[in-house]
Amino acid sequence: MKEIFQLLKEGNKSALTAAIVNVLVSIIKGITYVFTGNVAMFAETLHSLGDAANQFFVFVGSALSKKRPTKRFPNGFGRVVNLVLLGAVLIVGIMAFETIKEGISHIFHPTESTGFLINLLVLAVCTILEGFVLVKAMHEITHDVGLKSRGLKLFKDSIANFGKAKAATRLVFLEDSVATGGGLLAMIAIIISYYTPYHQAEGIASALIGVMMFFVVGKVFLDNAAGAIGESDEVMQVQIGQLVMSDPDVQDIQVITVLKEGDFFHVEVEVELDPHMTLAEVDDVKDRLEENILTVKGVVDVLVSFDEDDAIRSWEYGDGR
């Protein structure tokens, strides 16, 4: 039990913050829907409820993925976060389906909802809260890549480096982007429905929010299916390859593999050395390469093997010298 609490301290903070905020938001929206019967508010209630459950599971999964390797699982538990995310998107998918179904029903059978001002006020407050979580996720994305962005630059840098962020952070960013956009869309629909006889606007907004949720489901599923199977990281591969080639005794790289396990990397590299080097010298090179590679953020283990220099260049990304 003590180990579990220790692991939870290392869980993704953006996911935990998002889960707490979305629980609060879903309660507020749900109570408002019960009293006003606004279908756009119903869509937003399901959306926030799905996000809350989703992000809580993501937080727990990201924490458990930090568990140390065991004899039974020598490669560690990095892929746990990918497996949890694959399960979590099912929740969003179900909520998205219900949201679209209710929206279509309202389009064909529109009804006039009540509580115009309270609906707008609740949505405005909830959208601000979700926007706060979104900004926090943006900060975490830029932090993951070593940037300290502010203002409009934060928005630009977080979009540009989205693919380099942790899986849990990417999910929070996507979900709260849709949540913030969905809140604004619902507010517009409520205004149109109140000031015009076009009450179908709320149903259309509900359906569109559901479609946006399905987009998140598709994106998160594809990203984490690849992560659960085990995918290489080409950017990290180039970075580590250049680091290896900067060693004065390394002549070439035969093979380099960087396997991503959740937020961690496992590195295997086969390098070419001068065939006249002594065993002691080769051992020194091995120790030096392992030590240098392990300084790269996220790398948890390194396997270095050797071959004699064949005078044929295999490494394609420059020698980094």
Side-chain angles (χ1 to χ4, degrees):
M1 185 63 71
K2 183 179 179 181
E3 183 186 10
I4 293 176
F5 282 117
Q6 193 64 38
L7 289 171
L8 288 176
K9 291 180 181 179
E10 300 180 34
N12 187 277
K13 299 301 187 295
S14 288
L16 179 60
T17 302
I20 294 171
V21 169
N22 276 299
V23 166
L24 176 63
V25 164
S26 62
I27 292 172
I28 296 172
K29 289 178 179 178
I31 293 173
T32 306
Y33 167 69
V34 169
F35 284 101
T36 65
N38 186 284
V39 72
M41 187 65 74
F42 172 78
E44 280 295 292
T45 300
L46 287 186
H47 186 186
S48 296
L49 192 61
D51 285 355
N54 211 356
Q55 288 153 353
F56 176 74
F57 286 132
V58 169
F59 167 71
V60 174
S62 67
L64 295 179
S65 69
K66 305 293 194 303
K67 182 176 171 62
R68 293 175 180 273
T70 63
K71 289 183 179 180
R72 185 179 179 186
F73 301 102
N75 287 333
F77 297 82
R79 297 189 197 185
V80 168
V81 67
N82 299 113
L83 295 173
V84 169
L85 284 167
L86 285 175
V89 295
L90 294 177
I91 298 173
V92 182
I94 293 170
M95 297 294 183
F97 174 76
E98 291 297 327
T99 300
I100 293 173
K101 186 175 76 171
E102 187 69 21
I104 292 175
S105 174
H106 193 79
I107 291 172
F108 288 103
H109 308 286
T111 57
E112 185 176 358
S113 57
T114 59
F116 171 70
L117 290 178
I118 188 65
N119 278 321
L120 275 185
L121 179 62
V122 167
L123 282 173
V125 171
C126 292
T127 301
I128 290 171
L129 289 173
E130 286 160 342
F132 164 76
V133 176
L134 177 59
V135 171
K136 183 173 176 59
M138 289 181 179
H139 278 295
E140 192 143 334
I141 290 174
T142 54
H143 177 267
D144 286 347
V145 295
L147 298 176
K148 295 182 179 179
S149 306
R150 295 288 185 273
L152 292 177
K153 195 171 186 299
L154 173 65
F155 179 80
K156 177 184 174 183
D157 289 344
S158 60
I159 295 291
N161 294 285
F162 172 79
K164 300 177 184 178
K166 297 175 183 177
T169 305
R170 292 201 302 269
L171 179 130
V172 173
F173 177 84
L174 282 174
E175 288 192 338
D176 279 280
S177 293
V178 172
T180 304
L184 294 173
L185 185 61
M187 291 169 68
I188 293 171
I190 289 172
I191 293 172
I192 292 174
S193 179
Y194 182 77
Y195 285 107
T196 73
Y198 194 67
H199 301 306
Q200 291 93 336
E202 293 175 5
I204 293 172
S206 177
L208 288 176
I209 290 169
V211 169
M212 290 191 294
M213 291 166 70
F214 265 125
F215 169 77
V216 173
V217 168
K219 176 65 177 171
V220 173
F221 177 83
L222 291 175
D223 284 351
N224 288 280
I229 295 170
E231 62 176 335
S232 62
D233 190 296
E234 292 187 5
V235 174
M236 186 64 76
Q237 185 172 303
V238 172
Q239 179 184 343
I240 292 176
Q242 291 176 340
L243 177 63
V244 170
M245 287 299 296
S246 67
D247 188 285
D249 289 316
V250 173
Q251 304 300 314
D252 196 6
I253 297 176
Q254 280 273 10
V255 179
I256 180 169
T257 303
V258 179
L259 186 65
K260 189 172 184 181
E261 296 262 2
D263 297 332
F264 304 116
F265 300 96
H266 302 273
V267 180
E268 294 184 18
V269 59
E270 182 179 346
V271 300
E272 295 181 4
L273 300 179
D274 186 330
H276 299 102
M277 293 180 69
T278 66
L279 184 59
E281 290 172 331
V282 171
D283 188 58
D284 289 341
V285 173
K286 180 177 182 295
D287 291 342
R288 189 165 63 238
L289 288 176
E290 289 179 348
E291 183 180 349
N292 289 338
I293 294 172
L294 285 170
T295 62
V296 177
K297 184 179 180 181
V299 175
V300 291
D301 66 69
V302 182
L303 177 61
V304 180
S305 57
F306 301 99
D307 197 359
E308 63 177 330
D309 184 17
D310 59 7
I312 300 174
R313 191 55 175 264
S314 300
W315 178 245
E316 301 175 353
Y317 297 96
D319 58 15
R321 293 176 183 168

